[in-house]
Amino acid sequence: MEEYLQVSEVVDWQNPIVVELANKIASRHQTIDAIARACFEWVRDEIYHSCDYQMNPVTCRASDVLKYKTGYCYAKSHLLAALLRANGIPAGFCYQRLSINNNGEPYSLHGFNAIYLPEIGWYRVDARGNRQDVDAQFVPPKEQLAFKIRFPGEAEFPNIFSEPLPVVVEVLQTYSKWDDILLNLPDVTLSPLNEADLSQVLRY
């Protein structure tokens, strides 16, 4: 599990403001599950989704997501992983490929998290932020993610990465405005032979 606890440039969980919030959240709870749920709900509810709220700047690093209180789904997953890791809870990154307009092409990656809970193992959560058509919750062992796969070009990848995908980080670090990201959302190309394994889809 060591790789899912590491600090990095993007998951900078040793940053003082991240540590302060992680400690504050943990101080109110006694169990790993309770701390994990509180971290998830804090990021889901207190960090504004950049597109939903049309907010700048575009964030990537966990501490910047916390500083500016906004981020795309990917960035919010970076902060959630940082808060969890700061509390000694292993956390990784998961991705779906979803229709951007809910009617087929074009598609983009959607980012969320997996948390290692002692009683059940890896448990996936989506802190992108709820709205009228999204109701993501922390209700283990049941998973209640933000989105479901509905179209042939969509995919749900089983991989749990210890670091965010480079294609995602590159987009977030290239553009500074929320609407520029919306026009350049990261995506991968699927084929029938490899759509079940994201590590085979991406070349980096």
Side-chain angles (χ1 to χ4, degrees), residues 4-5 18 22 34 50 52-53 63 66 73 99 106 120 123 132 139 144-145 166 179 187 198:
Y4 296 99
L5 291 167
V18 177
S50 300
D52 288 357
Y53 290 88
S63 58
L66 180 54
C73 60
S99 169
I120 65 172
Y123 177 67
Q132 187 174 0
V139 285
Q144 189 166 327
L145 302 176
D179 47 349
D187 189 21
L198 189 55

Side-chain angles (χ1 to χ4, degrees), residues 18-29 42 87:
V18 177
V19 172
E20 180 182 8
L21 177 60
N23 291 340
K24 181 178 179 180
I25 292 173
S27 70
R28 301 170 180 170
H29 303 280
W42 196 96
N87 280 307

Side-chain angles (χ1 to χ4, degrees), residues 1 18 31 36 47 57-59 64 66 84 88 94 104 108 113 119 124 130 144 149 171 181 186 190 194 196 200 202:
M1 288 296 161
V18 177
T31 67
I47 301 296
V58 170
T59 55
D64 286 338
L66 180 54
L84 292 164
C94 301
S108 76
N113 296 93
E119 299 298 322
R124 299 184 305 168
N130 288 342
Q144 189 166 327
I149 303 304
V171 168
I181 294 287
L190 300 182
N194 62 21
Q200 298 300 314
L202 293 170

Side-chain angles (χ1 to χ4, degrees), residues 40-68:
F40 159 75
E41 291 181 345
W42 196 96
V43 175
R44 183 194 65 186
D45 299 340
E46 301 298 329
I47 301 296
Y48 298 103
H49 190 282
S50 300
C51 183
D52 288 357
Y53 290 88
Q54 301 184 5
M55 289 181 66
N56 293 316
V58 170
T59 55
C60 181
R61 186 183 294 113
S63 58
D64 286 338
V65 180
L66 180 54
K67 177 181 178 180
Y68 294 106

Side-chain angles (χ1 to χ4, degrees), residues 95-124:
Y95 298 91
Q96 295 169 323
R97 185 180 194 245
L98 301 174
S99 169
I100 294 175
N101 299 314
N102 295 318
N103 59 0
E105 294 182 351
Y107 296 92
S108 76
L109 289 176
H110 169 64
F112 52 104
N113 296 93
I115 307 171
Y116 191 82
L117 302 176
E119 299 298 322
I120 65 172
W122 286 110
Y123 177 67
R124 299 184 305 168

